[in-house]
Structures are given as C-alpha cells and as structure tokens.
Amino acid sequence: MPSFSSRVLALFLALELAAGAPPPTATVPAPPRDRRDIISSATSAAGSLTSEAGGALTSAFPSAVASVYSSLASSIPTEAAGGIIPGFDVPSVDDVKNEAGLSDDEIEQLPVRILNIPGFANLTDNGWSVLFHGQAYREPLENSSKLDTLTNVFLPEKDVDQLNETQQDQARNLTSAIYSLPVSDLSLTFTLYNATKDAQDSPILNLTFPLPTDSRGEFNQFVHMNDSIPTDLGERVHRVEVRTNAGDLGNSSAFLVPSQGITFLADIDDVLRVTRIYSPTSGLNNSFANPFTPWSTMPAVYTHWLESIPSAHFHYLTTTPEPATRMYESFIFGNYPLGSFDTRPYNFTTLDQTFRVRSVALRRALETFPQRRFVLIGDTSNADIMRDYPQLAKDYGNVQCILLRNTTATDSGDHFPYDTSGFEGLDNSTYFFFDVPEDLMGLDIENGECVNSSVPQNIEYGYQNLPWDPETDGAEGLKRSVTWRVVLVTGLLAVALAL
Ligand SMILES: *[C@@H]1O[C@H](CO)[C@@H](O)[C@H](O)[C@H]1NC(C)=O
Ligand SMILES: *[C@@H]1O[C@H](CO)[C@@H](O)[C@H](O)[C@H]1NC(C)=O
Ligand SMILES: *[C@@H]1O[C@H](CO)[C@@H](O)[C@H](O)[C@H]1NC(C)=O
Ligand SMILES: *[C@@H]1O[C@H](CO)[C@@H](O)[C@H](O)[C@H]1NC(C)=O
Ligand SMILES: *[C@@H]1O[C@H](CO)[C@@H](O)[C@H](O)[C@H]1NC(C)=O
Ligand SMILES: *[C@@H]1O[C@H](CO)[C@@H](O)[C@H](O)[C@H]1NC(C)=O
Ligand SMILES: *[C@@H]1O[C@H](CO)[C@@H](O)[C@H](O)[C@H]1NC(C)=O
Ligand SMILES: *[C@@H]1O[C@H](CO)[C@@H](O)[C@H](O)[C@H]1NC(C)=O
Ligand SMILES: *[C@@H]1O[C@H](CO)[C@@H](O)[C@H](O)[C@H]1NC(C)=O
Ligand SMILES: *[C@@H]1O[C@H](CO)[C@@H](O)[C@H](O)[C@H]1NC(C)=O
Ligand SMILES: *[C@@H]1O[C@H](CO)[C@@H](O)[C@H](O)[C@H]1NC(C)=O
Ligand SMILES: *[C@@H]1O[C@H](CO)[C@@H](O)[C@H](O)[C@H]1NC(C)=O
C-alpha cells in the first residue's frame, strides 16, 4: 500500500472544501508511523496524486505540461516545495489521544500552556491596536514512555537514544509539541508591562481577550489599547511585555510599531538558519537533531540594520507549523534582533489558509502598516516565496525591496528549480538575488537601495536551476535522469498548489 503524505490528504480536504463540502473537524491526519514511511512519503507524493486530486490539479495545467506531469511515475517532496519539512505536520486530535492513552479526565489534569506568539501593534484613532495570536494546548506525551518511539519517526538516521543529550532534548521537545492537544473555549487574560527593568512590577493594563480560544485552541485578533499606552513614542519600535495568567509558559512581547519606517520581514529556513529543506533528510536532521544554526553571517547583517536604521522593525514570518514556534523563537532571539512573529496556524478552514498561509500573513502585515516600507527577505528554494513576494509587491505600494538568497549559488545540493517569472514587470531596482550575506552589507536601505551592482543578476523570468541547465548541473545532471524528473515535478506541483 502506498504511504499517503499528510499534505496530499490535506490537499484532498482542501479540494473538497473548494467544491463546497462542509469543513472537516479533524485537520490533518497523523504522520506515518515508520521512519521509512516518512522518507518515502517525502519522495512519493506525486505517485499518490494520480487519483481525483491529481486529476483536478493536472487539469489546471496547459495540456503539454499536464502530460509531462501525469507521465511521471513518482515522486517529489511536495511539502518541501511549499517550504515545510516533509513529515513535519500535525497529527489529529484523536491520534494524539490514542498515543497518549489517557482518559479525557486525565488529560484535563495536565497543565495548560499558552503559546503567546509575539505580535505587532499599529497606531489607530483608538490608540495602539495590538495583535494577540497563539494557541492554548497541553502536551500529554511530554513525559510518556511512548515519546521516544514517536520521536524516532522524525530522525532520519539514528534513534533518539543514540543522540547526545542536547540533541535528545531537542528531538523530544519538538515531538512532544507536535503531539499536543488544543485547549478550546478558554478565556484568556493578558497583562501588559513596560519592558524596562524597573517597571517589572507595575503593569500598564490588564485585559480580557474578547473571544475564548477556538476549537483548535487558537486566538488571533487585534485589541485596541485606547488611551492606556502613550501614542507618541517617536520613530523607534517599543517592546512591551505580555503575560497571561491563563496558563504556563505564556510570557511574550508585543511590538509597538510606528506608522513610518522600515520593516524587515523575513522567512527563517535557509536564509536566517541552515535547514536545507530541499534535502528532506537534512531538513529533518537540522530541525529535530542538530542545534539551530544561523546561515553564514546573516546575524551580522541584521545587527548592522538594527544599529544603523533607527526606525527598523523586524518581523519573522515562517510557514513552519505552529508547534515548532518556540524552537524558532528561541533561535531567532538568541541570534537576531527581537521582533514579531507569524508561523503556520492550525486554522485550516479555507483553501486560502491552507495553501496560502504565507500570503495571508504577508497581506496582514502589509495592510497593517500601509506607510512603512517593507524589505522582504527569503530564498529561492521556497516556491511560495517566489510566487507571493513579487505578487504582493505588485498588489501593494509599500514593498521597497525583495532580497532573495540564491540558494543554488552556495549549496550545490539544492536541486529545486525556482520560478522567477513573477518578477517580470517589477522594477528591477527593487529586487535582488544575493549569494552571500556580505552582498547585503553595503546597501543603503534607508535611501531605497536594494541592489548591489557588483553581484551579477541572471533572471530569466521562468524556471531556473532546471536539471538540464548547463550552468547549474552540466552533463552530470543528464545522468541523473530519474532525479531530474523528480525535481521538475517539484516545481510543477508547487505551481499547482498555487492555483
Ligand atoms: C512532565 O514533567 C515535568 C517535570 O516533572 C512537569 O513539570 C510536567 O508538568 C510534566 N508534564 C506532563 C504532561 O505530565
Ligand atoms: C492587573 O491585575 C493585577 C492582579 O492580577 C493587579 O495587581 C494590577 O493592579 C492590575 N493592573 C491594572 C493596571 O489594572
Ligand atoms: C479560524 O478561521 C475561521 C474561518 O475563517 C474564523 O472564523 C476564525 O475566527 C478563525 N480562528 C482564529 C483563532 O483565527
Ligand atoms: C478599548 O475600547 C474598546 C471599545 O470600547 C474595548 O472593546 C476594548 O476592550 C478597550 N481596550 C482595552 C485594553 O481596554
Ligand atoms: C515605560 O517606562 C518609561 C521609563 O521607565 C516611561 O518613560 C514610559 O512612559 C513607560 N511606558 C509606558 C507605556 O508606560
Ligand atoms: C514570566 O513572567 C512572570 C511574571 O508574571 C515571571 O515571574 C517569570 O519568571 C517569567 N517567566 C519566564 C520564563 O521568563
Ligand atoms: C545529520 O547530522 C549529523 C550531525 O549531527 C551529521 O553527521 C549527519 O551526516 C547528518 N545526516 C544527514 C542525513 O544530513
Ligand atoms: C551534540 O551534537 C551537536 C551536533 O548535532 C553538537 O553541536 C553539540 O555540541 C553536541 N552536544 C554535546 C553536549 O555533546
Ligand atoms: C522546548 O524548547 C523551547 C525552545 O527551546 C522552550 O521554550 C520550551 O520551554 C521547551 N519546552 C519544554 C516543555 O521544555
Ligand atoms: C491597523 O491595522 C489594521 C489591521 O490590519 C488595519 O485594518 C488598519 O487599517 C490599520 N490602521 C492604520 C491606521 O493603518
Ligand atoms: C534593469 O533593466 C534595465 C533595462 O530596463 C537594464 O538596462 C538593466 O541592466 C537591468 N538591471 C539589472 C540589474 O538587471
Ligand atoms: C543563482 O546562482 C546560480 C549559480 O551561481 C546561477 O547559475 C544562477 O543564474 C543564479 N540565479 C540568479 C537568479 O541570479
């Protein structure tokens, strides 16, 4: 029996939804139980797509492309094309309960945790409007003897007990978070504190969140602060501490972002940290076992921007699933400037939210700060970045620069084709493909400079890094005829998902 990728099943659900079927209650099915299944689901998803959903997808292609597509027998890391590590998805509530083997009453006794994702705030006629978003959950498998078995599924090579202690902690911590249960209908109260040492004990205000957590334990809404926080705070971004008394681990921050200035909005995987999503086993390894590591000297570039641009606001927007948020936050806050965050919520009720997570979150940021100038940062190996960044630059007037790491320039292991056609028609002084972080150092971002003319730009407005591209792969590519098909479909499917 072929192993189904959870993304493929999610796709089925999405197509059903698009066809008007009622929303499913369970969101995404559990990942396969066996490590080999994960790795193979990462490479056989296209094979599974020969059914109904595949038909719906291929009918959206021009017929020539569709015939290439349907003639392929196997195999692509669909999730990776969408910027998600294969197999790294969230199991259903029922599945988590089964694994935990606890009764509902026993689950009720477990501590409630609040993932309070750092939000941004804009200035309105009713004072600061602060975005609160996150999730209330329990981690029933945290201390369970079953945790190691579940953890092993995500580790490409070794079992968890063969790893060193720091690796074990990381792998178990992330797996336990993935196997969490939402806490719905919880009423939340937040207390905001001035983020200065001497103000620790003097809260600025208490507020009750207007809605209880939804069926997935999530909350996601702006709240007006009215006159409780001064509005005239100058050109700099101010941080306030946000704590909640409804659960544990809820300490967080909110960022008061003035109407004018520069916002650096970045993806994380493969531009701020080394992930290698395009190589599924490395991607798993670098997420579950290896300590998160900054990519090259990107932290120095960020420090430079922080120190030289007084109005700078940093926003981190990744489509990694919500349970990994704490791991990403602790990595970013240890290596890059503090800032607000978006990750991929569970709220899968519309086609848009499922397949356009990045553009939904990007639009919200761009619409919240219409007068700020945005610098969007990412890399060429994410199909959704290649699609959404240029599209939103065309749709909104406040995108100043798009800075993309050309991943293939420094990692010959990246065989993903990338599509630059979205950039056609955009002013070529607003986007820049860079090879190494130093290429960004000299840019005068404040005065609108986005391109370092010493780095050759080779934009073909179409698929690049194709396997027969003599520049990238040479004759060697042709020998890997199976691999190149794999790679081509990766790109095509990414397009399919975009439709
Ligand atoms: C796991 O153990 C830790 C430390 O004893 C405790 O704080 C935590 O609440 C436990 N978690 C669960 C789910 O039982
Ligand atoms: C907020 O609530 C705490 C108790 O939970 C209280 O000590 C504090 O005075 C309140 N602050 C404001 C500004 O209302
Ligand atoms: C989840 O999505 C539904 C439908 O779009 C929306 O009504 C609901 O408010 C969302 N929940 C959260 C927490 O955003
Ligand atoms: C600000 O005013 C609005 C409208 O009256 C109210 O809903 C909201 O709770 C107030 N915000 C705070 C922080 O009290
Ligand atoms: C925070 O504290 C600083 C000085 O400690 C003060 O100037 C500022 O007004 C306070 N901010 C708020 C929002 O209370
Ligand atoms: C969270 O805030 C509380 C005060 O509400 C503080 O006592 C605690 O040390 C903080 N926890 C962390 C992990 O910073
Ligand atoms: C996983 O990471 C370790 C370093 O911790 C490395 O030795 C190993 O080669 C990596 N394996 C893969 C498949 O990337
Ligand atoms: C564990 O292995 C990682 C490599 O994945 C290494 O960076 C770390 O220092 C090691 N930790 C210990 C305690 O040996
Ligand atoms: C898991 O790791 C994250 C980030 O490193 C940390 O914030 C969190 O407290 C850890 N969770 C537990 C239950 O230890
Ligand atoms: C503040 O952000 C909200 C939410 O995105 C948006 O609707 C509103 O227009 C923004 N206000 C201003 C003054 O830009
Ligand atoms: C940008 O486009 C102009 C022509 O419109 C061309 O002369 C110039 O070389 C292009 N710049 C880059 C960096 O490709
Ligand atoms: C990215 O780098 C590769 C390898 O150096 C090069 O062949 C390709 O043209 C570059 N892409 C762009 C868009 O400049």
Side-chain angles (χ1 to χ4, degrees):
M1 210 195 101
S3 66
F4 274 76
S5 148
S6 23
R7 297 295 295 168
V8 172
L9 287 177
L11 184 60
F12 270 103
L13 295 177
L15 289 167
E16 264 176 46
L17 282 174
T25 44
T27 52
V28 177
R33 263 311 92 69
D34 185 276
R35 177 182 311 162
R36 277 158 311 174
D37 286 351
I38 286 238
I39 307 299
S40 74
S41 86
T43 52
S44 71
S48 319
L49 272 176
T50 46
S51 54
E52 230 177 293
L57 283 178
T58 48
S59 68
F61 287 131
S63 60
V65 178
S67 75
V68 174
Y69 172 78
S70 61
S71 73
L72 294 167
S74 58
S75 65
I76 42 144
T78 38
E79 299 132 301
I84 298 163
I85 295 154
F88 186 173
D89 218 322
V90 288
S92 74
V93 165
D94 285 344
D95 197 70
V96 176
K97 284 187 177 176
N98 287 343
E99 293 294 352
L102 300 176
S103 70
D104 285 356
D105 282 349
E106 287 166 321
I107 288 170
E108 289 275 310
Q109 304 306 311
L110 299 175
V112 174
R113 291 182 175 150
I114 308 292
L115 173 67
N116 189 359
I117 302 174
F120 46 56
N122 66 342
L123 201 48
T124 72
D125 291 345
N126 295 321
W128 291 102
S129 175
V130 180
L131 175 63
F132 294 88
H133 60 330
Q135 194 205 17
Y137 62 97
R138 297 186 171 95
E139 284 185 61
L141 283 141
E142 188 180 20
N143 304 322
S144 156
S145 57
K146 284 198 170 176
L147 183 61
D148 282 5
T149 315
L150 297 171
T151 303
N152 288 341
V153 173
F154 296 109
L155 297 169
E157 296 175 318
K158 297 177 177 171
D159 281 351
V160 66
D161 53 18
Q162 295 170 290
L163 302 177
N164 76 29
E165 207 172 313
T166 40
Q167 292 173 320
Q168 287 182 354
D169 285 347
Q170 178 171 332
R172 289 179 180 136
N173 178 314
L174 197 46
T175 308
S176 168
I178 288 171
Y179 280 86
S180 63
L181 285 173
V183 178
S184 55
D185 214 21
L186 182 73
S187 167
L188 296 169
T189 53
F190 294 102
T191 308
L192 272 55
Y193 292 77
N194 200 333
T196 52
K197 283 214 171 60
D198 55 348
Q200 286 288 323
D201 300 320
S202 54
I204 306 168
L205 79 145
N206 297 324
L207 67 98
T208 302
F209 195 69
L211 291 172
T213 55
D214 71 6
S215 62
R216 299 166 187 84
E218 291 181 323
F219 54 97
N220 181 10
Q221 196 162 312
F222 285 92
V223 178
H224 287 289
M225 296 297 123
N226 309 321
D227 55 6
S228 36
I229 299 181
T231 51
D232 181 17
L233 294 176
E235 69 171 328
R236 286 184 183 274
V237 172
H238 286 253
R239 183 172 73 88
V240 290
E241 283 185 23
V242 181
R243 295 178 198 156
T244 169
N245 51 1
D248 295 341
L249 299 179
N251 293 11
S252 182
S253 297
F255 294 84
L256 310 176
V257 181
S259 310
Q260 316 256 344
I262 296 181
T263 291
F264 292 91
L265 184 156
D267 184 38
I268 296 174
D269 288 310
D270 292 314
V271 61
L272 302 187
R273 86 169 183 106
V274 177
T275 311
R276 309 194 72 237
I277 257 176
Y278 36 83
S279 167
T281 49
S282 282
L284 286 167
N285 209 15
N286 289 331
S287 300
F288 285 85
N290 296 329
F292 282 26
T293 307
W295 175 59
S296 187
T297 55
M298 273 311 270
V301 173
Y302 264 71
T303 301
H304 171 64
W305 288 337
L306 174 69
E307 287 171 353
S308 61
I309 302 177
S311 71
H313 162 222
F314 298 93
H315 185 69
Y316 302 96
L317 192 161
T318 163
T319 56
T320 197
E322 198 164 67
T325 308
R326 288 188 199 280
M327 201 83 78
Y328 277 71
E329 277 179 23
S330 83
F331 162 71
I332 289 293
F333 298 159
N335 294 282
Y336 290 94
L338 297 180
S340 44
F341 250 81
D342 272 304
T343 51
R344 185 163 66 110
Y346 285 65
N347 204 339
F348 280 173
T349 50
T350 68
L351 191 61
D352 242 21
Q353 287 166 340
T354 307
F355 291 107
R356 300 208 151 200
V357 178
R358 191 181 303 279
S359 79
V360 168
L362 267 169
R363 280 178 198 280
R364 177 165 70 184
L366 292 166
E367 284 170 8
T368 302
F369 303 106
Q371 296 173 63
R372 289 185 77 81
R373 290 180 286 145
F374 280 76
V375 176
L376 308 182
I377 298 155
D379 77 290
T380 52
S381 75
N382 264 195
D384 61 349
I385 283 182
M386 296 301 287
R387 176 193 69 208
D388 294 340
Y389 281 8
Q391 182 58 50
L392 295 184
K394 289 173 184 171
D395 292 353
Y396 293 86
N398 49 345
V399 176
Q400 173 184 303
C401 304
I402 299 177
L403 307 176
L404 292 167
R405 172 190 172 198
N406 179 353
T407 321
T408 55
T410 46
D411 190 340
S412 59
D414 177 11
H415 296 296
F416 274 22
Y418 55 89
D419 181 6
T420 53
S421 61
F423 291 87
E424 195 162 13
L426 266 189
D427 176 349
N428 71 2
S429 67
T430 62
Y431 55 88
F432 175 48
F433 290 81
F434 64 99
D435 296 343
V436 291
E438 287 69 30
D439 295 342
L440 304 175
M441 260 313 190
L443 295 179
D444 186 359
I445 301 274
E446 262 194 307
N447 286 312
E449 188 179 50
C450 307
V451 179
N452 173 344
S453 56
S454 72
V455 181
Q457 300 289 290
N458 169 21
I459 297 130
E460 292 164 4
Y461 303 124
Y463 275 98
Q464 297 190 222
N465 200 32
L466 285 167
W468 54 77
D469 189 340
E471 268 184 65
T472 55
D473 266 295
E476 205 202 315
L478 296 172
K479 288 188 215 142
R480 290 192 309 263
S481 62
V482 175
T483 316
W484 74 252
R485 288 186 188 186
V486 165
V487 154
L488 176 61
V489 177
T490 304
L492 293 178
L493 198 91
V495 172
L497 291 177
L499 294 170

mmCIF file of all heavy atoms in Angstrom, residues 156-158 167 276 279 281-283 285-286 289-291, ligand 7:
data_model
loop_
_atom_site.group_PDB
_atom_site.id
_atom_site.type_symbol
_atom_site.label_atom_id
_atom_site.label_comp_id
_atom_site.label_asym_id
_atom_site.label_seq_id
_atom_site.Cartn_x
_atom_site.Cartn_y
_atom_site.Cartn_z
ATOM 1 N N PRO A 156 16.191 10.994 10.841
ATOM 2 C CA PRO A 156 16.482 10.270 9.607
ATOM 3 C C PRO A 156 17.475 9.117 9.763
ATOM 4 O O PRO A 156 17.449 8.181 8.982
ATOM 5 C CB PRO A 156 17.035 11.347 8.674
ATOM 6 C CG PRO A 156 17.470 12.456 9.545
ATOM 7 C CD PRO A 156 16.640 12.385 10.786
ATOM 8 N N GLU A 157 18.357 9.192 10.761
ATOM 9 C CA GLU A 157 19.419 8.187 10.794
ATOM 10 C C GLU A 157 19.429 7.336 12.052
ATOM 11 O O GLU A 157 19.383 6.124 12.002
ATOM 12 C CB GLU A 157 20.778 8.887 10.658
ATOM 13 C CG GLU A 157 20.947 9.584 9.344
ATOM 14 C CD GLU A 157 22.250 10.354 9.286
ATOM 15 O OE1 GLU A 157 22.602 11.000 10.290
ATOM 16 O OE2 GLU A 157 22.907 10.307 8.247
ATOM 17 N N LYS A 158 19.508 8.032 13.179
ATOM 18 C CA LYS A 158 19.702 7.313 14.434
ATOM 19 C C LYS A 158 18.428 7.323 15.264
ATOM 20 O O LYS A 158 17.534 8.119 15.021
ATOM 21 C CB LYS A 158 20.811 8.000 15.237
ATOM 22 C CG LYS A 158 22.147 7.970 14.538
ATOM 23 C CD LYS A 158 23.173 8.732 15.350
ATOM 24 C CE LYS A 158 24.534 8.640 14.691
ATOM 25 N NZ LYS A 158 25.501 9.543 15.334
ATOM 26 N N GLN A 167 20.874 16.982 21.724
ATOM 27 C CA GLN A 167 20.061 16.549 20.582
ATOM 28 C C GLN A 167 18.795 15.829 21.060
ATOM 29 O O GLN A 167 17.713 16.023 20.505
ATOM 30 C CB GLN A 167 20.878 15.618 19.685
ATOM 31 C CG GLN A 167 22.034 16.299 18.972
ATOM 32 C CD GLN A 167 22.912 15.305 18.231
ATOM 33 O OE1 GLN A 167 23.189 14.215 18.732
ATOM 34 N NE2 GLN A 167 23.351 15.673 17.044
ATOM 35 N N ARG A 276 18.199 23.385 4.939
ATOM 36 C CA ARG A 276 18.330 22.532 3.764
ATOM 37 C C ARG A 276 17.040 21.741 3.534
ATOM 38 O O ARG A 276 17.044 20.519 3.404
ATOM 39 C CB ARG A 276 19.569 21.611 3.865
ATOM 40 C CG ARG A 276 20.841 22.390 4.198
ATOM 41 C CD ARG A 276 22.118 21.601 3.983
ATOM 42 N NE ARG A 276 22.395 21.424 2.571
ATOM 43 C CZ ARG A 276 22.544 20.238 1.986
ATOM 44 N NH1 ARG A 276 22.423 19.121 2.675
ATOM 45 N NH2 ARG A 276 22.807 20.162 0.703
ATOM 46 N N SER A 279 16.632 19.134 0.852
ATOM 47 C CA SER A 279 17.206 17.809 1.014
ATOM 48 C C SER A 279 16.510 17.196 2.236
ATOM 49 O O SER A 279 16.943 17.402 3.359
ATOM 50 C CB SER A 279 18.712 17.943 1.232
ATOM 51 O OG SER A 279 19.235 16.725 1.675
ATOM 52 N N THR A 281 16.148 14.642 4.181
ATOM 53 C CA THR A 281 16.745 14.061 5.387
ATOM 54 C C THR A 281 17.568 15.102 6.143
ATOM 55 O O THR A 281 17.552 15.136 7.373
ATOM 56 C CB THR A 281 17.609 12.822 5.075
ATOM 57 O OG1 THR A 281 18.485 13.147 4.019
ATOM 58 C CG2 THR A 281 16.760 11.636 4.684
ATOM 59 N N SER A 282 18.247 15.964 5.423
ATOM 60 C CA SER A 282 18.966 17.053 6.095
ATOM 61 C C SER A 282 18.003 17.980 6.817
ATOM 62 O O SER A 282 18.286 18.450 7.918
ATOM 63 C CB SER A 282 19.712 17.934 5.096
ATOM 64 O OG SER A 282 20.864 17.355 4.663
ATOM 65 N N GLY A 283 16.864 18.258 6.165
ATOM 66 C CA GLY A 283 15.871 19.146 6.772
ATOM 67 C C GLY A 283 15.381 18.612 8.102
ATOM 68 O O GLY A 283 15.262 19.352 9.086
ATOM 69 N N ASN A 285 16.987 16.349 9.980
ATOM 70 C CA ASN A 285 18.167 16.351 10.837
ATOM 71 C C ASN A 285 18.388 17.729 11.478
ATOM 72 O O ASN A 285 18.633 17.845 12.679
ATOM 73 C CB ASN A 285 19.368 16.016 9.937
ATOM 74 C CG ASN A 285 20.491 15.318 10.635
ATOM 75 O OD1 ASN A 285 20.321 14.813 11.747
ATOM 76 N ND2 ASN A 285 21.658 15.287 10.013
ATOM 77 N N ASN A 286 18.281 18.763 10.652
ATOM 78 C CA ASN A 286 18.552 20.116 11.126
ATOM 79 C C ASN A 286 17.411 20.706 11.940
ATOM 80 O O ASN A 286 17.547 21.781 12.513
ATOM 81 C CB ASN A 286 18.862 21.045 9.941
ATOM 82 C CG ASN A 286 20.204 20.725 9.324
ATOM 83 O OD1 ASN A 286 21.104 20.243 10.008
ATOM 84 N ND2 ASN A 286 20.341 20.959 8.026
ATOM 85 N N ALA A 289 17.374 17.192 15.270
ATOM 86 C CA ALA A 289 18.562 16.731 15.986
ATOM 87 C C ALA A 289 19.633 17.804 16.150
ATOM 88 O O ALA A 289 20.172 17.973 17.241
ATOM 89 C CB ALA A 289 19.154 15.511 15.277
ATOM 90 N N ASN A 290 19.952 18.513 15.098
ATOM 91 C CA ASN A 290 21.066 19.453 15.215
ATOM 92 C C ASN A 290 20.612 20.783 15.790
ATOM 93 O O ASN A 290 19.521 21.248 15.482
ATOM 94 C CB ASN A 290 21.689 19.683 13.836
ATOM 95 C CG ASN A 290 22.313 18.417 13.275
ATOM 96 O OD1 ASN A 290 22.791 17.567 14.032
ATOM 97 N ND2 ASN A 290 22.282 18.273 11.962
ATOM 98 N N PRO A 291 21.465 21.394 16.614
ATOM 99 C CA PRO A 291 21.108 22.721 17.128
ATOM 100 C C PRO A 291 20.856 23.675 15.961
ATOM 101 O O PRO A 291 21.554 23.603 14.946
ATOM 102 C CB PRO A 291 22.354 23.165 17.903
ATOM 103 C CG PRO A 291 23.181 21.947 18.101
ATOM 104 C CD PRO A 291 22.806 20.963 17.041
HETATM 105 C C1 LIG B 7 22.807 14.668 10.434
HETATM 106 O O1 LIG B 7 23.610 15.500 11.265
HETATM 107 C C2 LIG B 7 24.815 14.933 11.704
HETATM 108 C C3 LIG B 7 25.495 15.942 12.605
HETATM 109 O O2 LIG B 7 24.858 15.992 13.808
HETATM 110 C C4 LIG B 7 25.687 14.563 10.510
HETATM 111 O O3 LIG B 7 26.827 13.913 10.965
HETATM 112 C C5 LIG B 7 24.910 13.672 9.568
HETATM 113 O O4 LIG B 7 25.661 13.425 8.401
HETATM 114 C C6 LIG B 7 23.601 14.329 9.178
HETATM 115 N N1 LIG B 7 22.826 13.441 8.340
HETATM 116 C C7 LIG B 7 22.116 13.866 7.299
HETATM 117 C C8 LIG B 7 21.341 12.843 6.558
HETATM 118 O O5 LIG B 7 22.090 15.045 6.952
#
